Amino acid sequence: MSTLHKIDSTFDIALASQLDAAINNKTKPLGSLGQLETLAKQLGLIQRTTQPAIREPAIIVFAADHGVTEENISAYPQSVTWQMVENFLGQGAAINVFARQNGCALQVVDAGVNHDFGPRDGLIDRKVASGTRNFAKQAAMSATECAQAMEHGRTLVAALDGNVIGFGEMGIGNTTAGAALMHKLSGIPLTDCVGAGTGLAPDGVRHKRQVIEQAVRYHAGVREPLDVLATFGGFEIAMMVGAMLGAAERRMAILIDGFIVTSALLVAARLQPALLDYCVFAHCSNESGHQRMLAHLGAKPLLQLDLRLGEGTGAALALPLLQAASNFLCQMATFESAQVSEKTE
């Protein structure tokens, strides 16, 4: 990526005061809408208004394969990646159902799947290569490939008209990449980063952890965020990093999904810390490590549904809560307009 544009914090003390006053003057006990009040204020600060609106929300699902699957770290074969892309295109996956239910546009991107789809309606071809290399033996991608993937993500977001964006992913082996990124960027012990992914048995989880441990030792000198991303990440993860940065530059609200999407955020937030002002954390995944990842970021998720599917499903399910936060701020009566008596003290 040629340049990293500075992302501005959303902090505005005057607007924050106006939003607090508007929220507190609604016909309800102070603070009684809980996290929705925090969310309404965040949306107002992102959009620089006391009347935030949710406009043309979209979710982009990035798919890519990972060379580290050679190390037998997944319960499923690599071919499931392209088969699930076909399922997305056929409108048969959970993310298709939830996005459609919530009036959310859905884009599917081939970021680097080890399969030749050919020209397909509904599939955006941004394939950097047919999967990354095996990071147990070499860097997953070159600096040039990583930069190209990030730029693709930024460009895809720049083409959207809406003001809310969520991200999803599909890639057999990507919880291994995500755990490596989490460990390297957060310093959290690897044991607390590695989980079952698509359903590994305990022996499989131990093997997965050992593969990552050996890879971390092999790449011991890699420390800078972009170098960590290129060494351990995936093309779908790198595209999400670029897309998140691009979304914040455009002052979009960014719906953060589960473990893999949050691992991309760890990279992006190290590059541009103010990015976190734009992030709405949809849910806490049931994938081991996600709760610790969220705690590291100081994030409070909206939902706890024991999801561990990926695809952006948590982001799609949280979307109605963004709509509710916007709607109560814009549509609820004030004590004065409804002629309701306020608390007496």
Side-chain angles (χ1 to χ4, degrees), residues 281-334:
F281 293 86
H283 73 116
C284 181
S285 167
N286 207 32
E287 171 64 18
S288 175
H290 192 225
Q291 185 174 357
R292 292 179 180 90
M293 207 186 265
L294 293 174
H296 173 77
L297 291 167
K300 188 174 182 182
L302 294 174
L303 300 169
Q304 171 66 67
L305 297 171
D306 293 341
L307 306 175
R308 55 179 183 85
L309 178 57
E311 302 179 5
T313 45
L317 290 169
L319 187 58
L321 297 179
L322 272 71
Q323 192 69 63
S326 168
N327 286 350
F328 97 73
L329 185 52
C330 296
Q331 298 175 23
M332 261 182 85
T334 64

Side-chain angles (χ1 to χ4, degrees), residues 167-183:
F167 300 113
E169 39 60 42
M170 179 62 221
I172 295 300
N174 66 8
T175 59
T176 301
L181 292 173
M182 175 184 173
H183 171 65

Side-chain angles (χ1 to χ4, degrees), residues 57 96-105 313 315-321 323:
N96 299 105
V97 175
F98 298 154
R100 186 165 57 241
Q101 168 185 310
N102 292 317
C104 181
T313 45
L317 290 169
L319 187 58
L321 297 179
Q323 192 69 63

Side-chain angles (χ1 to χ4, degrees), residues 91-159:
Q91 305 298 311
I95 187 56
N96 299 105
V97 175
F98 298 154
R100 186 165 57 241
Q101 168 185 310
N102 292 317
C104 181
L106 181 65
Q107 295 185 353
V108 181
V109 179
D110 176 1
V113 180
N114 186 21
H115 182 77
D116 181 10
F117 293 99
R120 295 291 299 280
D121 289 343
L123 181 64
I124 299 171
D125 181 5
R126 295 294 183 271
K127 192 192 299 283
V128 177
S130 294
T132 52
R133 291 174 280 278
N134 182 356
F135 70 67
K137 298 176 179 175
Q138 58 186 309
M141 47 190 139
S142 68
T144 300
E145 288 171 331
C146 185
Q148 182 184 356
M150 289 175 66
E151 194 58 45
H152 282 322
R154 182 192 296 271
T155 303
L156 285 165
V157 166

Side-chain angles (χ1 to χ4, degrees), residues 185-229:
L185 294 170
S186 72
I188 294 170
L190 193 56
T191 302
D192 295 330
C193 301
V194 180
T198 51
L200 285 172
D203 285 351
V205 176
R206 280 193 292 274
H207 172 68
K208 178 177 171 179
R209 185 177 68 246
Q210 290 166 357
V211 167
I212 301 172
E213 284 172 348
Q214 292 166 6
V216 167
R217 284 197 297 270
Y218 182 74
H219 299 290
V222 177
R223 292 185 177 86
E224 293 302 313
L226 286 177
D227 296 334
V228 171
L229 175 61

